[in-house]
Amino acid sequence: MDPLSGAGPRRARGRLGAASPGARAAAAPWARFSAWLECVCVVTFDLELGQALELVYPSDFRLTDKEKSSICYLSFPDSHSGCLGDTQFSFRIRQCGRQKSPWHAEDWHYNSGAPVSLQNLLPAPVVLTSVHELDLFRCFQPVLTHVQTLWELMLLGEPLVVLAPSPAMSSEMVLALISCLQPLKFCCDYRPYFTIHDSEFKEFTTRTQAPPNVVLGVTNPFFIKTLQHWPHILRVGEPKMSGDLPKQVKLKKPSRLKTLDTKPGLYTTYSAHLHRDKALLKRLLKGLQKKRPWDTQTALLRRHLLELTQSFIIPLEHYMASLMPLQKSITPWKTPPQIRPFRQDDFLRSLEHAGPQLTCILKGDWLGLYRWVDGRRFFKSPHFDGWYRQRHKEMAQKLEALHLEAICEAQNIETWMKDKSEVEVVDLVLKLREKLVQAQGHQLPVKEAALQRAQLHIETVIGSLPKDLQAVLCPP
């Protein structure tokens, strides 16, 4: 479990990350593994007692009563359709204030090299039903004609309810939706499978405030009435496997929602900014008729969604890069210059000559996705906030690394020290040590040779100080 985590009906499985022999020897096996998997729960159903936790491993792992209740209720399907035999699905719950498992140095190194979709995951990734990549084409078959609309709703962080016949369909559709923004990190809340027993039920169903930025997967028709005030509801029916494209859900007004016998459809008043890609639909349909492998169909669809997201994000990346101070302005003995602020008006003006409408084959109102439209704005979404914070952090680290390299390459450190007070010299030592600690923890992209030169600078500076200060800075 992570702060929001889940498991299938029987067992939660995790994958152990690679670690150096020294790290493995320094940490207890489960302490190392707990960065990936907090615990394994086995839930059984008793006709007299109901759901109960049969096993929690490791045995000393402590779940709160609230967590136990959520896991027990969510581990068994609550569906209005018949569900016989084995089934697999995912869910997430809110963790109750437990301290997260600590990261190890190797975890930071692994995370920096992992795909964006696999980075929001340490410590303890959300538990999925399979370690294999989601079959996106199979999940999206009934909604292919509206894939652009759904992509836009995900991009803007809009609240969306997915009503499906079973927890398996519900959780797969939700996971498919949140994956369609790659390589942009999905920063909103999402619940692959949600029931009336969930501890956040009142929070999500209240009408006293706007619905939260969450994608909610449900199976109980009761939610049609309870969540009628939500702006977007996707109702999908039972899957029908054939050699042709399944009947596509239609766009419908929310007012046509009925508590009982609600037909499949995307109930929303939202109008897509981008045009439907008819060429893609023809290729996918042709692939079905020719019995093209499903993984190939998924690859086509995923590539299309990837190109959509990249077309949208590249102008943001270019503008963000322009806010970085020039390297020539970074000098060793001065505080490095600051990253310039992100000004939305300046960015929007830049789109006129560098926007996605000039490079992407798919036409439509691209600029409308960035601007304020019908009370929605990408800049107000959790996705922009998450993207901006991550990019700003990376740029700040790069700035610190360039400043450290400038100090390391400086040849005149003795000259700099001549007219400096002891306080200024000690301050330099402390700052250099702090930068070294960050670099050694893989938080600053600095070469090993530069780190060695920085250590020599520290020794030179300390050697110029009185003996009493040397003793303080270099205790035995």
Side-chain angles (χ1 to χ4, degrees):
M1 292 165 51
D2 63 356
L4 287 169
S5 67
R10 285 193 175 272
R11 290 180 177 83
R13 294 182 180 177
R15 300 186 67 188
L16 181 61
S20 66
R24 285 197 296 265
W30 186 261
R32 184 82 176 110
F33 189 61
S34 64
W36 296 84
L37 180 69
E38 295 254 39
C39 67
V40 176
C41 298
V42 177
V43 183
T44 57
F45 185 83
D46 186 280
L47 290 176
E48 296 181 359
L49 302 177
Q51 296 96 325
L53 270 178
E54 181 181 296
L55 173 70
V56 177
Y57 182 85
S59 57
D60 60 348
F61 189 84
R62 293 291 176 261
L63 291 166
T64 67
D65 291 340
K66 194 174 184 180
E67 289 169 341
K68 290 178 182 177
S69 175
S70 294
I71 291 172
C72 285
Y73 275 116
L74 288 168
S75 291
F76 287 88
D78 174 24
S79 175
H80 61 281
S81 65
C83 186
L84 298 176
D86 292 339
T87 184
Q88 291 182 327
F89 58 98
S90 306
F91 61 81
R92 301 175 85 216
I93 63 172
R94 187 169 292 171
Q95 200 171 38
C96 301
R98 186 181 300 105
Q99 186 176 3
K100 295 182 180 179
S101 303
W103 276 44
H104 297 267
E106 291 82 2
D107 297 334
W108 290 102
H109 183 65
Y110 163 83
N111 197 57
S112 63
V116 174
S117 60
L118 298 179
Q119 292 177 7
N120 71 329
L121 293 184
L122 288 175
V126 60
V127 180
L128 305 178
T129 57
S130 171
V131 296
H132 300 291
E133 188 176 45
L134 198 67
D135 190 340
L136 204 64
F137 177 70
R138 181 174 57 81
C139 295
F140 277 163
Q141 270 200 98
V143 296
L144 285 175
T145 54
H146 306 299
V147 72
Q148 264 87 242
T149 301
L150 291 168
W151 175 83
E152 290 183 24
L153 293 176
M154 294 299 100
L155 182 71
L156 298 174
E158 284 289 294
L160 174 71
V161 179
V162 175
L163 177 60
S166 68
M169 284 190 67
S170 160
S171 60
E172 285 195 341
M173 180 62 81
V174 170
L175 294 176
L177 287 168
I178 67 167
S179 74
C180 71
L181 293 186
Q182 295 176 7
L184 183 65
K185 186 176 180 180
F186 191 86
C187 296
C188 294
D189 191 0
Y190 65 96
R191 305 299 177 91
Y193 176 52
F194 187 83
T195 74
I196 59 174
H197 302 290
D198 198 287
S199 56
E200 280 78 55
F201 175 75
K202 290 184 178 179
E203 177 185 335
F204 288 167
T205 58
T206 180
R207 294 174 181 260
T208 58
Q209 58 190 23
N213 301 102
V214 61
V215 182
L216 211 60
V218 301
T219 59
N220 194 331
F222 171 76
F223 280 104
I224 295 177
K225 180 179 180 181
T226 309
L227 300 177
Q228 229 171 4
H229 60 294
W230 279 47
H232 321 287
I233 296 180
L234 174 61
R235 173 76 163 92
V236 291
E238 294 282 358
K240 295 180 180 178
M241 310 303 294
S242 66
D244 203 354
L245 196 65
K247 185 177 181 180
Q248 298 293 287
V249 301
K250 296 181 179 179
L251 282 177
K252 300 183 179 182
K253 295 181 179 179
S255 59
R256 297 185 63 185
L257 273 172
K258 298 177 181 178
T259 305
L260 298 175
D261 196 30
T262 295
K263 295 182 179 179
L266 177 55
Y267 294 82
T268 179
T269 57
Y270 181 82
S271 297
H273 291 79
L274 305 182
H275 299 160
R276 187 179 299 172
D277 192 335
K278 295 180 180 179
L280 173 71
L281 292 173
K282 287 181 180 178
R283 289 185 69 187
L284 293 173
L285 178 57
K286 190 174 181 180
L288 271 179
Q289 293 169 343
K290 290 190 173 184
K291 297 183 178 179
R292 182 187 293 152
W294 282 45
D295 57 349
T296 306
Q297 297 280 80
T298 286
L300 284 172
L301 183 55
R302 195 173 288 282
R303 180 180 176 182
H304 170 74
L305 294 169
L306 176 67
E307 290 173 351
L308 281 180
T309 305
Q310 287 180 327
S311 297
F312 184 85
I313 290 295
I314 285 174
L316 285 162
E317 297 280 3
H318 286 169
Y319 176 75
M320 194 71 184
S322 72
L323 305 179
M324 183 75 170
L326 297 176
Q327 188 167 351
K328 65 182 181 181
S329 66
I330 301 171
T331 56
W333 313 122
K334 290 184 179 179
T335 302
Q338 297 293 308
I339 300 169
R340 293 189 294 279
F342 190 105
R343 302 190 186 281
Q344 295 177 15
D345 291 340
D346 291 345
F347 168 72
L348 291 173
R349 279 193 291 268
S350 74
L351 292 176
E352 296 175 5
H353 55 81
Q357 76 279 3
L358 303 177
T359 57
C360 188
I361 297 176
L362 196 63
K363 301 304 178 183
D365 182 16
W366 279 97
L367 302 187
L369 284 174
Y370 300 98
R371 295 193 178 111
W372 183 274
V373 179
D374 297 332
R376 304 176 181 91
R377 197 176 193 178
F378 174 71
F379 294 125
K380 294 292 185 181
S381 75
H383 301 318
F384 173 74
D385 182 67
W387 172 85
Y388 176 76
R389 287 175 183 271
Q390 180 62 26
R391 288 295 177 269
H392 193 277
K393 177 183 176 181
E394 292 170 357
M395 289 169 66
Q397 289 175 340
K398 180 64 175 177
L399 205 55
E400 289 288 338
L402 291 173
H403 188 228
L404 179 58
E405 289 177 355
I407 293 174
C408 295
E409 293 170 3
Q411 304 296 324
N412 58 344
I413 190 167
E414 291 86 356
T415 305
W416 175 84
M417 289 189 297
K418 283 181 180 178
D419 60 344
K420 297 298 182 291
S421 67
E422 290 181 355
V423 172
E424 291 174 296
V425 174
V426 171
D427 185 57
L428 173 65
V429 172
L430 296 177
K431 287 183 177 178
L432 275 176
R433 281 182 170 171
E434 182 182 357
K435 289 179 185 291
L436 279 177
V437 169
Q438 289 179 318
Q440 290 165 350
H442 303 287
Q443 297 178 44
L444 290 182
V446 182
K447 296 179 180 178
E448 185 62 32
L451 297 181
Q452 293 174 0
R453 288 196 297 271
Q455 187 60 46
L456 289 175
H457 279 343
I458 291 174
E459 293 171 3
T460 300
V461 172
I462 291 177
S464 69
L465 294 169
K467 296 294 184 181
D468 58 337
L469 277 178
Q470 290 185 34
V472 173
L473 293 172
C474 297

